[in-house]
Structure formats: C-alpha cells, structure tokens
Amino acid sequence: DHAGTGKTFLAMYMALEQVLDKETPYEQLLIVRSIVPTKEIGFLPGDIEEKIAVYVAPYRSCASEMFYDKGAYDKLKHNGYVDFKPTSFIRGETYHNTIILVDEMQNLNFHELDSIITRVGQDSKMIFCGDFW
C-alpha cells in the first residue's frame, strides 16, 4: 500500500518475533532491497557498508522504535539476527533458516526478482513489501 502505512515496520516486527523465538526454525532476518536506481554507487567514497548505509537507515529506525533502543539494529546485526543485502550481492548464496524480507519490491526488475526467489533454502520464507500502485 502507500508510503508511511507501516508495511516495513510490521514485516520486520513479525519476522524478528519469529527469528528471536527459539521454537521456530528461523535464525536470521535478511532484508533485501534493490539499489539499482543509484548506478553511481561504485563511485561513492567508502566501503560497501558506508555505501549502503542510506538504504539501511529505515531498518535501523524500525529496530530502534521496536526495542526502544537506538543501537538495536547494530546489536541484532552483531548477534547474527539481522542482515541487509542489496539484490546485486545475493547471487550465489542460498539462505537456510532465514526469513527474507524483500522491501520496496516494486523497484525490482525481473532479473533481481529471479535472483532473490532462487536463494530460498531449507526452512526459509519470504515476505514481500512494496507499493503496487
């Protein structure tokens, strides 16, 4: 649905609820998003973490709000519960015991969508968020 309605927040909340529950098979939330519109990313200064920081910001904000802790996203990442990857960095990987959150899916091209769908391994599932209008 439309921007600002809480799609990403709710998807992250529900995914993390399952990832943090030891009774489920899910061990990690992987957030995947296309960054193709910024083809100049290779020319931006810094390492890959610095280049994608602007794309991680909404998830950092969601985690801060969920856990009432500004450092929540970094703690989750450090402990292996959450990770973020641009679509161009997931080829050749298979994700087991993972909830894959595909955010801003309306920005994906067919090749990116195909790359993401073929990454799903044992005991994994996908959540798609986006605006279809």
Side-chain angles (χ1 to χ4, degrees):
D1 213 358
H2 300 297
T5 58
K7 298 178 297 293
T8 301
F9 183 90
L10 287 172
M12 269 188 75
Y13 182 95
M14 294 176 77
L16 286 171
E17 189 174 46
Q18 293 177 62
V19 166
L20 296 172
D21 180 352
K22 299 299 177 203
E23 301 295 314
T24 74
Y26 308 113
E27 298 170 356
Q28 181 183 49
L29 166 60
L30 174 65
I31 302 166
V32 180
R33 183 174 171 176
S34 176
I35 59 171
V36 168
T38 59
K39 289 182 173 36
E40 299 81 26
I41 192 165
F43 300 107
L44 294 174
D47 63 15
I48 188 61
E49 292 295 323
E50 292 169 316
K51 290 179 182 186
I52 63 173
V54 68
Y55 298 98
V56 174
Y59 314 111
R60 192 178 301 280
S61 175
C62 286
S64 295
E65 198 172 327
M66 272 175 227
F67 293 95
Y68 303 100
D69 177 359
K70 293 270 186 222
Y73 181 88
D74 293 322
K75 291 172 187 171
L76 290 164
K77 184 172 173 61
H78 175 77
N79 289 306
Y81 293 122
V82 70
D83 197 10
F84 173 87
K85 292 218 174 146
T87 53
S88 52
F89 284 74
I90 64 165
R91 290 178 187 91
E93 304 262 355
T94 301
Y95 296 97
H96 302 289
N97 304 94
T98 302
I99 298 176
I100 303 167
L101 169 56
V102 183
D103 201 19
E104 301 294 344
M105 60 136 335
Q106 75 277 1
N107 296 333
L108 300 177
N109 61 40
F110 177 80
H111 183 68
E112 289 173 309
L113 185 58
D114 183 63
S115 294
I116 294 166
I117 291 171
T118 57
R119 305 298 101 208
V120 181
Q122 185 82 27
D123 290 320
S124 291
K125 67 179 173 182
M126 301 186 101
I127 300 171
F128 289 94
C129 289
D131 188 351
F132 57 87
W133 296 108

